[in-house]
């Protein structure tokens, strides 16, 4: 055995190395595995980058391809990276460069690309000899302070240059852009996030290092993908364990095309090839897996996705959308694995770990930067002090230099005579004559004071970790203000719990209620503004004898409170009202609310259950009640006002009032009263109320108004109206007979409604036959109380005005 062992040693001289094959294979495989993990596939938690990305950004930075500079050919960038830092194939480098420039791959692209950088359809980018690139402004935040000895540099592959082990990484890139990579025996798949949320999460962690992941989840709600769409899943479990499964959905909407419904896909799941999705849908339609689709078109343009599925007449869009989610990748899964290198070691991280490691790394960077700036400031102060000593003794200094035989003797003489350091003496010798002026002396004194102040500040930072944390908070806030944007991806509950609210964008809509109890919602853009006296547009294709009774402009996320003839109130969110076209009559309210033997008399929109509710009946009774009494909706509704059992009185108006707000009541015979809402004491839900106005004969109250504007607009049944200043109505106590509001005649007809308005408002008028007109108040002049007004709308024979709605300048309505 000894002879056999010694034999290979003799052969070593001939260049043969003795190895055990199994051991060598094991060692080689482990070396390869660690190389892939550390140097290729897994990002670091500190700067959030893989080595190839870091090398590309650093190389572009050194080439001067900074934001605002001229772009250069990607071939130059790729060549520079391969030749200096990354001894791998050009395809790997160019692919990484291209991905950093794609706004559908990265939530916050780091590279600005000029030319064809590929598309969401899977089209490849042009060859690197055709494309050009430079750094984006946000990429500078990763590289900032790299020249201030903030990070460690190591020799490159051929030991000819130095490259950074990490970038300073002010930008929390790991969470913002995520990462995906397959190493040996492990893989990472980190989703992108919203910058504002991540910055807020970092600040919350710094303020409270003991913050729980549950509290952080209230700030960082969910991943935010560059392609938008919707995401659902157990976010708490995901952020606690660093592992989880997300369901990502594309965004769809239903449009009317040629009297048929069409489903339009405007956003698709992250990392999904749009062409593959369209082909998949086409195959399913052909195989009858998805039914009722008559035409499929890809109408997408650059940067905008639009896949149109035209449905057969009468087909249900909801059913087709559900089929798309079930059978295609329009609903896709995203398996999260928060794996990153921490100190060079792969580790699964939870959300708090990621923020903790970011803050820990930034502490080191800021400390290193501060030390660099402190040393630089001290070195400069030393020079400035020496120059000031020399200027103070300028004649002696010049005399000494003149008498010296050479520079070395002059240097030694200055050091000895004026007690200068070698650096100070050298600086004095290198001083130009123009710096001997009194102006330069003043500049040096000022610079000396500034340097001392800066040194004190830098030493304070290094002495107190709280100062470092303040700097991190300040820098994170700057990032948030400079680059923060709104979420692109909606966060849904679990798929089984999805409601329409999760799919409806918050926007201003018009909700119409008809006399026969039909309701619908439409976009406010359906009504174009017209001049006074216009004929309007068709608001609804109503049943015979039906008319639009109420028109509400509100947000889709507002609560709608429905008051019934029996004095009860029921609730719906505005998005629960079916969306329909102007020509549709809508859906019966009794089916939406489950009503029996009672009708809806009033509907108001409420954003939050604060302030008070003010009610008025046709007999002039008013009531004030706190809105908090209605903050817990019940399916069966609750009592709002105790109306007479004989139905002799009914609600005509309900409004939200604040403290000390004035209200007005107007009657159909042209009377009005103005008083303070505080004159009516708050009462409970079962009370009837108190007298608001006393009326003669068969007169009735037709409207209740909140006086928060300069004028009151009145309209009559026959389409006449006028605008009168609020100051013309004298303020009285409640229960008075009021004053003249409008001179009612056979020509004008009875008063239909009054509303408070401002100069820049628009109004919407509805008629019994479903006509709707929107006009600006600039077309209606201010008149006195007793005037009959002017014709505001031309009515068709047999038609009459039913309602008047104020549309405020910001788009809100009453």
């Amino acid at each position: 055995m000894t002879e056999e062992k010694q034999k290979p040693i003799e052969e070593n001289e001939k260049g043969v190395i003795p190895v055990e094959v199994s051991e060598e294979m094991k060692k080689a495989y482990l070396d390869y595995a660690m190389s892939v993990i550390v140097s290729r596939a897994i990002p670091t938690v500190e700067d959030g980058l893989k080595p190839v990305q870091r090398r590309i950004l650093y190389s572009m930075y050194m080439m001067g391809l900074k934001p605002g500079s001229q772009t250069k050919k990607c071939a130059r960038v790729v060549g520079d990276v391969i030749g200096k830092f990354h001894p791998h194939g050009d395809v790997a480098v160019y692919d990484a460069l291209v991905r950093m420039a794609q706004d559908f791959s990265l939530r916050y692209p780091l590279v600005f690309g000029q030319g064809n950088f590929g598309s969401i359809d899977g089209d490849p980018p042009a060859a690197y000899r055709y494309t050009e690139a430079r750094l984006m402004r946000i990429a500078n935040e990763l590289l900032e302070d790299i020249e201030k000895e903030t990070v460690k540099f190591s020799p490159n592959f051929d030991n000819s240059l130095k490259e950074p082990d990490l970038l300073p990484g002010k930008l929390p890139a790991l969470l913002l852009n995520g990462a995906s990579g397959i190493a040996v025996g492990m893989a990472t798949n980190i989703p992108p996030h919203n910058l504002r949320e991540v910055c807020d999460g970092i600040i919350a962690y710094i303020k409270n290092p003991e913050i729980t992941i549950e509290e952080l989840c209230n700030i960082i709600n969910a991943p935010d993908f560059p392609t938008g769409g919707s995401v659902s899943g157990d976010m708490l479990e995901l952020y606690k364990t660093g592992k989880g499964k997300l369901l990502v959905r594309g965004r769809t909407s239903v449009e009317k095309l040629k009297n048929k419904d069409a489903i339009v896909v405007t956003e698709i799941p992250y990392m999904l090839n749009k062409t593959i999705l369209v082909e998949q849908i086409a195959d399913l339609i052909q195989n009858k897996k998805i039914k009722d689709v008559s035409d499929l078109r890809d109408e997408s343009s650059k940067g905008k996705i639009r896949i149109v599925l035209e449905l057969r007449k009468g087909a249900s869009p909801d059913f087709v959308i559900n089929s798309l989610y079930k059978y295609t990748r329009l609903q896709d899964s995203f398996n999260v694995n928060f794996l990153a290198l921490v100190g060079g070691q792969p580790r699964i991280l939870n959300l708090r770990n990621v923020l903790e490691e970011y803050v820990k790394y930034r502490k080191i960077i800021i400390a290193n930067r501060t030390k660099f700036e402190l040393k630089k400031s001290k070195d400069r102060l030393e020079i400035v002090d020496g120059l000031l000593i020399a200027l103070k003794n300028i004649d002696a200094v010049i005399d000494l230099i003149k008498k010296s035989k050479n520079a070395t003797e002059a240097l030694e003489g200055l050091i000895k005579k004026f007690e200068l350091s070698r650096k100070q003496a050298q600086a004095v010798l290198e001083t130009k004559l123009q710096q001997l002026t009194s102006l330069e002396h003043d500049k040096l004194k000022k610079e000396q004071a500034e340097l001392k102040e800066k040194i004190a500040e830098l030493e304070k930072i290094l002495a107190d970790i709280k100062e470092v944390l303040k700097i991190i908070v300040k820098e994170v806030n700057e990032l948030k203000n400079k680059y923060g944007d709104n979420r692109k991806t909606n966060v849904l509950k679990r798929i089984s719990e999805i409601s329409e609210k999760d799919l409806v964008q918050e926007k201003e809509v018009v909700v119409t209620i008809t006399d026969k109890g039909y309701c619908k919602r439409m976009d406010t853009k359906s009504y174009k503004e017209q001049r006074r006296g216009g004929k309007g547009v068709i608001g609804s294709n109503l049943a015979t004898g039906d008319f639009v009774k109420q028109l509400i402009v509100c947000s889709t996320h507002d609560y709608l409170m429905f008051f019934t003839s029996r004095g009860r109130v029921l609730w719906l969110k505005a998005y629960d009202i079916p969306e329909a076209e102007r020509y549709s009559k809508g859906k019966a309210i009794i089916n939406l609310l489950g009503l029996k033997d009672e009708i809806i008399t009033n509907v108001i929109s409420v954003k939050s259950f604060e302030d008070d509710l003010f009610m008025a009946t046709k007999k002039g009774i008013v009531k004030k009640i706190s809105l908090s009494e209605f903050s817990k909706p019940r399916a069966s509704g609750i009592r709002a006002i105790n109306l007479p059992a004989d139905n002799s009185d009914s609600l005509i108006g309900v409004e939200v009032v604040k403290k000390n707000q004035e209200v007005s009541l107007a009657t159909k015979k042209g009377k009005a009263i103005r008083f303070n809402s505080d004159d009516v004491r708050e009462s409970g839900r079962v009370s009837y109320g108190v007298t608001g106005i006393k009326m003669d004969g068969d007169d009735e109250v037709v409207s209740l108004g909140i006086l928060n504007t300069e004028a009151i607009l009145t309209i009559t049944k026959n389409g006449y109206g006028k605008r009168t200043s609020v100051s013309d109505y004298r303020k009285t106590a409640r229960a008075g007979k009021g004053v003249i509001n409008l001179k009612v005649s056979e020509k004008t007809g009875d008063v239909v409604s009054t509303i408070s308005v401002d100069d820049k408002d628009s109004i919407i008028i509805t008629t019994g036959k479903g006509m709707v007109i929107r006009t600006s108040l600039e077309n209606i002049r201010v008149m006195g109380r007793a005037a009959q007004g002017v014709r505001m709308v031309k009515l068709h024979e047999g038609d009459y005005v039913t309602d008047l709605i104020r549309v405020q300048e910001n788009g809100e309505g009453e």
Side-chain angles (χ1 to χ4, degrees), residues 254 261 263 311 315-325 500 503:
V254 178
D261 286 327
I263 296 166
L311 305 185
S316 168
D318 291 339
F319 181 80
V320 179
I321 290 170
N322 288 337
S323 298
L324 288 170
Y325 287 147
E500 192 182 357
L503 303 173

Side-chain angles (χ1 to χ4, degrees), residues 8 19 35 56 88 95 102 120 194 302 501 521 594 612 651 672 678 694 717 720 739 808 814:
V19 291
S35 172
I56 289 168
H88 299 278
D95 284 352
Q102 292 174 335
I120 201 166
N194 183 269
K302 189 175 181 181
K501 176 185 174 182
R521 65 179 165 93
D612 292 320
L651 274 173
D678 288 355
K694 291 177 181 175
K717 190 174 181 179
Y720 285 82
V739 296
Q808 295 176 18
E814 292 183 349

Side-chain angles (χ1 to χ4, degrees), residues 243-479:
K243 292 184 175 184
K245 182 179 179 180
L246 299 174
L247 282 177
V248 187
R249 277 185 169 182
R251 192 186 295 268
T252 62
S253 61
V254 178
E255 294 182 7
K256 279 283 182 186
L257 297 176
K258 302 174 186 174
N259 298 323
K260 290 189 290 185
D261 286 327
I263 296 166
V264 181
V265 179
T266 52
E267 293 174 5
I268 63 174
Y270 182 52
M271 300 305 290
L272 175 61
N273 185 315
K274 178 168 65 66
T275 300
I276 291 174
L277 175 66
V278 174
E279 289 172 356
Q280 189 180 20
I281 295 170
D283 289 341
L284 290 166
I285 292 169
Q286 192 172 5
N287 296 330
K288 307 295 183 185
K289 200 82 172 176
I290 296 177
K291 300 174 183 177
D292 297 326
V293 178
S294 61
D295 191 21
L296 171 65
R297 301 187 301 275
D298 186 358
E299 298 179 354
S300 305
S301 56
K302 189 175 181 181
K304 187 178 180 182
I305 291 171
R306 184 178 168 84
I307 304 167
V308 180
L309 289 85
E310 202 169 306
L311 305 185
R312 292 190 177 92
K313 201 167 184 179
S316 168
D318 291 339
F319 181 80
V320 179
I321 290 170
N322 288 337
S323 298
L324 288 170
Y325 287 147
K326 184 174 182 179
Y327 300 122
T328 76
R329 289 186 65 193
L330 194 60
Q331 177 175 302
D332 209 0
S333 60
F334 187 97
N335 293 304
V336 179
N337 194 34
F338 258 98
L339 179 76
L341 298 175
V342 182
Q345 299 294 318
R347 185 174 140 203
I348 298 286
L349 302 165
N350 62 35
L351 181 60
R352 195 163 168 274
N353 294 150
V354 178
L355 301 184
E356 183 181 12
E357 292 298 331
Y358 169 82
V359 173
K360 192 188 294 183
Y361 182 61
R362 286 303 294 167
K363 283 180 189 174
I364 295 167
I365 296 298
I366 290 167
N368 289 347
R369 181 181 72 193
T370 307
K371 287 174 186 174
F372 175 84
E373 289 176 347
L374 181 62
K375 182 179 180 301
K376 188 178 176 184
S377 297
K378 283 183 174 179
D379 289 347
R380 178 58 186 166
L381 182 62
E382 183 184 352
I383 301 298
V384 170
D385 288 343
L387 292 173
L388 284 169
I389 291 169
L391 284 172
K392 188 178 179 182
N393 304 281
I394 189 63
D395 293 334
V397 167
I398 291 171
D399 188 54
L400 186 148
I401 293 169
K402 282 169 66 179
K403 290 178 180 177
S404 299
K405 292 178 181 178
N406 51 46
T408 305
E409 186 179 324
L411 183 74
E412 295 299 333
L414 288 171
I415 293 170
K416 187 176 180 181
K417 185 171 183 179
F418 300 103
E419 297 181 355
L420 299 177
S421 68
R422 190 164 294 275
K423 284 182 183 177
Q424 288 174 326
Q426 189 65 44
V428 170
L429 288 174
E430 291 171 359
T431 303
K432 295 179 181 178
L433 289 173
Q434 67 183 33
Q435 290 178 274
L436 303 179
T437 63
S438 59
L439 182 64
E440 289 297 325
H441 180 269
D442 292 341
K443 279 184 182 178
L444 287 170
K445 289 294 285 183
K446 185 182 177 184
E447 187 182 358
Q448 183 188 46
E450 287 173 352
L451 285 168
K452 285 180 178 178
E453 187 180 339
K454 186 177 180 181
I455 288 166
E457 189 179 322
L458 294 171
E459 287 175 340
K460 183 183 175 185
I461 291 168
L462 289 173
D464 190 356
I465 193 64
K466 288 180 181 177
E467 294 297 320
V468 175
L469 291 174
K470 280 181 188 175
I471 292 169
I472 297 173
V473 169
K474 180 189 171 190
E475 290 181 347
V476 167
N477 270 321
E478 285 172 358
L479 286 175

Side-chain angles (χ1 to χ4, degrees), residues 32-67:
Y32 165 73
M34 284 307 295
S35 172
V36 172
I37 291 166
V38 176
S39 304
R40 197 179 304 178
I42 309 297
T44 59
V45 73
E46 289 87 357
D47 62 6
L49 300 173
K50 297 179 185 180
V52 67
Q53 294 171 324
R54 188 178 304 116
R55 286 163 173 168
I56 289 168
L57 294 177
Y58 180 65
S59 186
M60 290 177 77
Y61 178 80
M62 295 304 290
M63 288 173 70
L65 296 178
K66 297 174 185 177

Side-chain angles (χ1 to χ4, degrees), residues 74 78 89-99 116-117 125-128 131:
C74 290
V78 172
D90 59 342
V91 175
V93 176
Y94 187 49
D95 284 352
L97 173 65
V98 165
R99 191 172 187 276
N116 174 16
F117 274 76
Y128 52 49
T131 57

Side-chain angles (χ1 to χ4, degrees), residues 424-680:
Q424 288 174 326
Q426 189 65 44
V428 170
L429 288 174
E430 291 171 359
T431 303
K432 295 179 181 178
L433 289 173
Q434 67 183 33
Q435 290 178 274
L436 303 179
T437 63
S438 59
L439 182 64
E440 289 297 325
H441 180 269
D442 292 341
K443 279 184 182 178
L444 287 170
K445 289 294 285 183
K446 185 182 177 184
E447 187 182 358
Q448 183 188 46
E450 287 173 352
L451 285 168
K452 285 180 178 178
E453 187 180 339
K454 186 177 180 181
I455 288 166
E457 189 179 322
L458 294 171
E459 287 175 340
K460 183 183 175 185
I461 291 168
L462 289 173
D464 190 356
I465 193 64
K466 288 180 181 177
E467 294 297 320
V468 175
L469 291 174
K470 280 181 188 175
I471 292 169
I472 297 173
V473 169
K474 180 189 171 190
E475 290 181 347
V476 167
N477 270 321
E478 285 172 358
L479 286 175
K480 179 181 167 184
N481 294 330
K482 277 163 82 173
Y483 308 108
D485 58 0
N486 295 326
R487 286 190 67 87
K488 290 187 176 182
T489 305
N490 281 348
V491 184
L492 305 182
K493 300 174 186 175
R494 290 183 179 274
I495 292 298
S496 57
E497 300 171 8
I498 287 177
S499 64
E500 192 182 357
K501 176 185 174 182
D502 300 311
L503 303 173
V504 175
Q505 183 184 0
E506 186 169 4
K507 62 180 180 180
E508 295 299 319
V509 291
V510 175
V511 175
T512 60
I513 315 289
T514 74
D515 186 55
K516 288 193 175 180
Y518 287 91
C519 66
K520 64 175 179 178
R521 65 179 165 93
M522 297 169 288
D523 199 304
T524 50
K525 293 176 183 176
S526 299
Y527 303 109
K528 295 179 181 177
E529 197 170 278
Q530 300 181 18
R531 295 187 62 80
R532 174 174 67 81
K535 289 188 176 182
V537 294
I538 295 172
S540 298
N541 193 7
L542 302 175
T544 306
D546 198 8
F547 61 88
V548 175
K549 183 179 177 183
Q550 196 169 357
L551 191 147
I552 302 163
V553 182
C554 63
S555 164
T556 47
H557 289 185
D558 285 356
Y559 280 97
L560 291 178
M561 298 178 70
F562 294 81
F563 294 85
T564 74
S565 54
R566 290 187 175 181
R568 293 193 309 132
V569 62
L570 298 99
W571 296 259
L572 277 180
K573 276 281 194 179
Y575 59 74
D576 287 326
I577 304 294
E579 189 168 16
E581 297 294 322
R582 283 194 290 115
Y583 302 98
S584 167
K585 68 179 180 180
K587 190 169 182 178
I589 298 173
I590 57 171
N591 294 335
L592 288 172
L593 297 174
L595 293 176
K596 290 180 181 178
D597 304 325
E598 56 186 325
I599 60 170
I600 297 296
T601 57
N602 290 90
V603 185
I604 65 165
S605 65
V606 176
K607 290 190 184 294
S608 59
F609 293 96
E610 299 170 2
D611 304 315
D612 292 320
L613 207 58
F614 201 89
M615 303 181 218
T617 73
K618 70 178 182 181
K619 284 195 170 182
I621 301 297
V622 293
K623 173 181 177 177
K624 187 166 73 170
I625 181 171
S626 173
L627 257 174
S628 60
E629 296 270 1
F630 306 99
S631 61
K632 295 179 181 176
R634 295 182 202 163
S636 59
I638 60 174
R639 184 171 294 281
I641 185 171
N642 198 5
L643 293 172
D646 60 0
N647 295 327
S648 59
D649 199 4
S650 61
L651 274 173
I652 59 88
V654 183
E655 296 284 353
V656 177
V657 294
K658 299 181 184 294
K659 295 291 182 187
N660 205 34
Q661 213 164 23
E662 290 183 3
V663 297
S664 68
L665 299 175
T667 74
K668 70 178 183 181
K669 297 301 181 186
K671 287 293 190 74
I673 188 170
R674 169 191 173 196
F675 59 90
N676 195 305
S677 63
D678 288 355
D679 290 351
V680 181

